[in-house]
Amino acid sequence: MHSITSTILNITHLSPDLFVLDINFPYPIQAGQFMMIKIPDNSKILPRPISIFNYDPLTHNLSLLIRNRGKGSSVLSKISLGQKLDIFGSLGKGFDTKITNKNIILMGGGEGIAPMLLTSELLKTNNNVSVFAGFRHQIEASTLDYFDTDLHIQYTAQDHSENCSRGLITDLLDDLNEPDYIYTCGPIPMMKAIYNKVLHKKWNTKVFVSMESRMACGVGACVGCVIKNCDNNSIKVCTDGPIFLAQEIFNG
């Protein structure tokens, strides 16, 4: 883990409440990990956990996809180019990106698409990778413009569109052959529905979920991120996860 002060290199607003911050982070990271961001406002004492969206190991450009949905993210949405930001990371256990010759589906709901970009970049060379996304509004599908166009990409949105399905993200699994792996991130009901669908179809697919939780430290000290697994045991999202096998979290 490294703690640095980094400069805001670029800000891209994708929708009224969804934006990407680019900063410099000269240390290795894994897809599916997260960073802790100190909010540049003295009234916000605790840092915020933010998923890693993309990373270029050559330029050290780190991208963070952020939804403006609270006081901390509202401050970040108003940040300026060149402003300094205190960050530390990378934290948590990421997705396994060293597998080869597998059929892999990456599924993200809303800003849960964030960890799938770097994951797809690391998996696409040696695997058959598909990307499925579900959004509330079609405008948020602009996040998919960051993905390699050679990938099989599908998405749903709740508002009507001629270019996408209006159903649920789980509908995209209906007519598929059994994948080897599904990696998913987003609302818990969505991830549980994906896991239940895999069980219903009697697939032997390994489903991995990226869990979110409020946390103050990101390193397992504050125990603010503790959740219960399917055996009712307490687990820390920050250090035991955020990536877990779905069967460890959900009762099928």
Side-chain angles (χ1 to χ4, degrees), residues 23-223:
I23 56 180
N24 186 268
F25 186 74
Y27 301 102
I29 64 170
Q30 299 174 32
Q33 288 188 303
F34 64 94
M35 306 294 297
M36 294 297 282
I37 309 296
K38 176 71 171 66
I39 304 301
D41 181 328
N42 290 334
S43 67
K44 311 292 184 302
I45 299 174
L46 299 178
R48 300 295 198 277
I50 305 290
S51 294
I52 292 166
F53 186 40
N54 204 3
Y55 183 69
D56 187 329
L58 298 179
T59 64
H60 301 148
N61 188 90
L62 171 67
S63 300
L64 304 168
L65 177 67
I66 304 172
R67 182 180 296 280
N68 181 3
R69 60 178 178 179
K71 294 180 181 178
S73 54
S74 177
V75 173
L76 290 175
S77 72
K78 298 178 179 65
I79 205 165
S80 303
L81 283 178
Q83 192 170 341
K84 302 293 184 182
L85 199 61
D86 293 327
I87 62 175
F88 64 94
S90 54
L91 298 165
K93 298 174 181 175
F95 288 114
D96 182 1
T97 56
K98 295 181 180 178
I99 52 181
T100 59
N101 299 317
K102 301 295 184 184
N103 290 315
I104 303 169
I105 299 177
L106 309 179
M107 303 184 73
E111 64 270 34
I113 195 68
M116 303 308 169
L117 176 57
L118 181 58
T119 305
S120 69
E121 288 295 310
L122 297 175
L123 287 172
K124 66 182 183 182
T125 301
N126 297 317
N127 298 276
N128 180 29
V129 176
S130 299
V131 179
F132 294 164
F135 301 106
R136 184 174 302 171
H137 305 293
Q138 189 189 349
I139 190 173
E140 297 174 357
S142 58
T143 55
L144 298 175
D145 293 342
Y146 288 83
F147 285 78
D148 190 329
T149 54
D150 288 337
L151 296 174
H152 174 217
I153 299 175
Q154 285 184 265
Y155 71 95
T156 63
Q158 292 182 14
D159 51 359
H160 182 68
S161 167
E162 295 179 354
N163 300 318
C164 69
S165 303
R166 198 179 182 182
L168 301 172
I169 189 173
T170 48
D171 296 340
L172 301 176
L173 296 173
D174 281 343
D175 300 322
L176 295 180
N177 295 322
E178 178 179 342
D180 297 297
Y181 293 88
I182 292 178
Y183 292 172
T184 181
C185 180
I188 288 177
M190 182 205 81
M191 295 193 290
K192 187 173 183 180
I194 290 170
Y195 179 54
N196 285 338
K197 189 137 194 171
V198 167
L199 294 179
H200 178 73
K201 294 171 82 68
K202 300 186 186 303
W203 285 348
N204 292 313
T205 305
K206 287 188 176 180
V207 180
F208 288 87
V209 297
S210 178
M211 302 299 292
E212 288 188 1
S213 182
R214 291 182 179 274
M215 61 183 72
C217 71
V219 295
C222 71
V223 298

